[in-house]
Amino acid sequence: MSSLPACLAIFERDVRAVVRSRSQLYSSMFTPLLLLVFLGSGVSHGLAPSRLPAGGFTSYMVAGVVVMTSLFSSTFASASYYRDRDSGMLRFMLTSPHSARTILLGKSLAGVVIGTAQALVVMALAAPFLDLGWQYGIVAGAVFIAATATVLNLLLAGFAQVLAARVQTMQGFHLVMNLALFPLLFFSGAFYPIDDLPTWLAALALANPLTYAVDALQVAAYAGDNSAFLGLWVDLPVLMAYTAAAIALASVRLPRLTWSGA
Amino acid sequence: MAADGGKLDPMNPPLAPGTQAIEARGLKRAYGPRLALDGFSLDVPVGSVFGLLGPNGSGKSTFMAMLAAMERPRAGTLRVFGQAPTASLRAHLGTVFQEPALDPSMTALESLVLAGRLFGLSRGAATDRAQGLLSRFGLGNRARDSVSTLSGGMRRRLEVVRALLHEPDLLLLDEPATGIDPDERRLLWQSLLEGQDGRRTILLATNDLAEADAVADRVAFVRDGRVVASGTPSALKRDLGREAVRVRWATSADAEAAASSNWEGCGTVTRDGEEVLFTVEQAASFVPQLFALAPPTIRSVSIEPSSLQDAYFQHVGERVRAEATA
């Protein structure tokens, strides 16, 4: 029996669930946009950061806000794994003739598509109001942004699945996501250039996968040239390597479900 | 896979004559130090409604999990329609778990269409079949309603519909009537057996003896991870060959004293709290003896023909007696 229709059915069902949950749909985008408006405007006017490579602080921050949207979205999407486990739906799906990998792939793909779409919507809503360089032009820049957002959301989906295989409760999952991913955002270049960081933190930033997502988005939209950035030829391969590692790790150890529950 | 989007492949290769729906031999499975299955052997004929009866923790659910290839035996052999259980064989199985397994945010119809697609039906075929089954199970007018608005009994019926949607050859029902009222239970079984045409095998795991007595044409008693008796309910009752005298004492100490005495003409003695069940050759000669010799705080005595419950207690309840008299 082909696994593709089953995977597609689960994908459709998870996307429908998010579209129906308006609070989940909008809050993932609304909070980062608020941060962009208030923090960006406040810092631009209050602190006037002089060491930014180009544009104002609000324009600089848009890449970080796009990454933050994906973080929120992937956290919400991964919660559906726990909801399905607790409602028994996951157990039922595993009695179908398909492997656990197929079932989880369908769920992860839904999270990736929703997270990518939300990231792109945030970018599209913010871009007209910002001073962006678009060094490769708007069309090519948009393609790079879409590619980066897709790879980033695949990375986050893989990471979330690795966590779900090890963390038993949704509360624990959210705690680990908040403890692990949001601090990563703070030294990823999302809110200030990593060149300004102390040496030890700058070194950590280079090991941080989110750094490469933020840099790629900045190079694609914000920057007028590549001089102050790592560049797409570094960002995309490194990000893809991290993503491949996360997906490989996720597929090695799947969450264990039994007849009577988790 | 469904060639027309609506019919699953038949069993391939076709069943050889005499093949059992389920054939288990000496299954063993342990979880840490606890033996869940300890030499579990069972034959379930094709087309039967088979009751698997035993107390909680006796190994029924572990056996069900093995049939669905969600667990593997550490020893022994298991065949479902002559094949070792695999993920692909699950296409021929329908499952209802003891605990609810529905997404409350989906509608009844969406739940069924998703299940149909997971089992290889096209969206259209799943929808058509779902609507027919929903009507048969009295849920036709609730197809577009959210699962969260359905009563507990309706949800159980919906889960049974979902398990039947892809026309499985073997239906695994793990305590399907748990938590529903008698009317809902009757409706569920009535609808379920209405479509029982002798081709589908139903394996019902339950500890509700009355339910099994009413619907199963064969049963097996399970205790401590093994089958201790099996046969038709009438044969098991007949084999008991006795009458049942049920006596209730004022205190469990009196009941225990009575249960541990030696009674002439008495077969098995099973105590459950203040109540003791004696299976006897002739109740007419046993009851006077009881009043003469037993502790005098008898509250009630009833004489009944042997029931499946008596047979169950004889085979499974011995442990209760042993513990009570230890």
Side-chain angles (χ1 to χ4, degrees):
Chain A
M1 185 176 291
S2 168
S3 292
L4 188 62
C7 196
L8 192 64
I10 294 166
F11 166 81
E12 282 177 22
R13 176 242 178 193
D14 276 32
V15 169
R16 196 188 308 124
V18 174
V19 171
R20 277 183 188 164
S21 172
R22 299 292 163 86
S23 58
Q24 177 180 339
L25 190 65
Y26 296 134
S27 65
S28 301
M29 300 185 287
F30 191 61
T31 307
L33 281 171
L34 276 184
L35 195 73
L36 187 70
V37 171
F38 293 115
L39 185 64
S41 304
V43 171
S44 291
H45 290 90
L47 300 176
S50 57
R51 299 183 62 190
L52 292 176
F57 184 71
T58 314
S59 303
Y60 176 85
M61 219 172 73
V62 72
V65 161
V66 167
V67 171
M68 184 189 282
T69 304
S70 296
L71 283 182
F72 281 140
S73 186
S74 70
T75 305
F76 279 130
S78 304
S80 85
Y81 161 79
Y82 289 95
R83 279 199 301 274
D84 280 350
R85 189 198 61 181
D86 295 343
S87 71
M89 271 302 284
L90 201 53
R91 208 161 14 115
F92 167 72
M93 290 190 237
L94 291 173
T95 62
S96 75
H98 306 287
S99 67
R101 277 191 183 85
T102 300
I103 307 294
L104 293 173
L105 177 66
K107 294 187 69 61
S108 292
L109 283 181
V112 169
V113 168
I114 291 162
T116 304
Q118 288 184 315
L120 295 179
V121 167
V122 164
M123 188 73 202
L125 288 174
F129 303 100
L130 301 173
D131 177 20
L132 299 174
W134 296 114
Q135 61 170 318
Y136 301 112
I138 289 182
V139 174
V143 170
F144 286 136
I145 290 168
T148 305
T150 304
V151 178
L152 171 66
N153 278 280
L154 281 167
L155 167 69
L156 293 172
F159 181 78
Q161 195 169 306
V162 170
L163 268 190
R166 287 156 180 79
V167 181
Q168 284 298 305
T169 64
M170 196 192 306
Q171 291 82 353
F173 174 82
H174 282 148
L175 187 70
V176 176
M177 285 292 272
N178 287 332
L179 280 176
L181 287 180
F182 285 93
L184 286 182
L185 192 62
F186 291 124
F187 61 93
S188 65
F191 303 117
Y192 34 78
I194 57 173
D195 294 343
D196 293 349
L197 294 173
T199 312
W200 66 271
L201 198 50
L204 274 183
L206 288 177
N208 176 359
L210 298 188
T211 300
Y212 301 92
V214 169
D215 193 78
L217 293 168
Q218 284 172 332
V219 166
Y222 163 77
D225 62 68
N226 278 342
S227 57
F229 298 92
L230 298 167
L232 290 176
W233 302 115
V234 174
D235 295 330
L236 290 179
V238 173
L239 200 55
M240 284 193 275
Y242 270 114
T243 303
I247 290 172
L249 209 57
S251 61
V252 167
R253 189 172 161 190
L254 300 170
R256 175 164 167 72
L257 283 161
T258 64
W259 180 266
S260 50
Chain B
M1 179 65 186
D4 62 355
K7 183 65 192 160
L8 293 165
D9 288 338
M11 293 301 297
N12 189 18
L15 292 182
T19 304
Q20 301 283 336
I22 300 169
E23 195 176 324
R25 293 287 175 273
L27 299 177
K28 291 195 175 190
R29 182 74 167 89
Y31 298 102
R34 189 178 73 81
L35 270 174
L37 294 184
D38 184 17
F40 189 102
S41 297
L42 184 70
D43 284 334
V44 177
V46 172
S48 61
V49 178
F50 199 103
L52 204 55
L53 304 170
N56 294 332
S58 59
K60 304 187 299 292
S61 293
T62 302
F63 179 59
M64 289 260 195
M66 285 181 182
L67 294 172
M70 290 175 78
E71 293 281 354
R72 284 185 184 172
R74 292 287 177 265
T77 58
L78 178 60
R79 292 284 179 272
V80 179
F81 299 112
Q83 301 175 35
T86 56
S88 59
L89 194 65
R90 290 199 289 250
H92 299 276
L93 267 55
T95 305
V96 176
F97 293 103
Q98 184 175 356
E99 300 294 329
L102 288 166
D103 180 350
S105 70
M106 297 173 83
T107 68
L109 188 60
E110 284 170 355
S111 301
L112 297 178
V113 171
L114 171 66
R117 294 175 74 191
L118 286 174
F119 280 86
L121 300 179
S122 68
R123 191 194 303 267
T127 304
D128 290 346
R129 205 174 283 182
Q131 282 167 337
L133 279 168
L134 284 170
S135 297
R136 189 173 115 198
F137 278 76
L139 294 168
N141 59 346
R142 304 301 299 268
R144 309 272 171 195
D145 291 351
S146 165
V147 168
S148 62
T149 66
L150 303 181
S151 69
M154 287 176 177
R155 290 187 200 194
R156 287 314 261 174
R157 276 186 274 153
L158 179 61
E159 289 189 277
V160 173
V161 167
R162 186 176 63 179
L164 289 172
L165 195 70
H166 56 289
E167 297 184 343
D169 299 297
L170 173 60
L171 192 58
L172 304 178
L173 304 177
D174 193 358
E175 307 275 3
T178 301
I180 62 173
D181 63 48
D183 278 348
E184 283 281 3
R185 182 177 303 211
R186 184 188 49 77
L187 187 58
L188 187 148
W189 277 110
Q190 190 182 324
S191 309
L192 186 58
L193 296 177
E194 192 181 298
Q196 182 64 5
D197 54 8
R199 280 186 293 118
R200 176 174 299 131
T201 308
I202 298 178
L203 183 64
L204 164 69
T206 183
N207 47 29
D208 185 331
L209 298 161
E211 180 179 51
D213 205 0
V215 303
D217 42 44
R218 296 182 73 85
V219 297
F221 298 141
V222 185
R223 193 186 76 186
D224 297 333
R226 67 179 66 178
V227 173
V228 292
S230 68
T232 64
S234 56
L236 287 166
K237 286 184 269 188
R238 191 175 56 243
D239 289 350
L240 218 53
R242 291 156 186 259
E243 292 173 299
V245 179
R246 195 177 302 278
V247 187
R248 177 171 286 276
W249 270 271
T251 66
S252 57
D254 286 347
E256 186 179 337
S260 55
S261 300
N262 286 320
W263 298 96
E264 196 178 322
C266 180
T268 61
V269 181
T270 311
R271 183 175 73 83
D272 183 8
E274 291 87 30
E275 191 174 276
V276 179
L277 182 75
F278 301 91
T279 55
V280 298
E281 289 167 5
Q282 282 194 323
S285 60
F286 175 76
V287 173
Q289 184 192 173
L290 182 76
F291 277 101
L293 301 173
T297 60
I298 292 173
R299 288 286 175 266
S300 66
V301 176
S302 60
I303 301 168
E304 307 156 0
S306 291
S307 65
L308 191 61
Q309 183 168 330
D310 302 326
Y312 175 86
F313 279 130
Q314 183 184 11
H315 293 287
V316 180
E318 283 170 2
R319 185 176 58 160
V320 177
R321 181 189 183 191
E323 284 168 358
T325 56

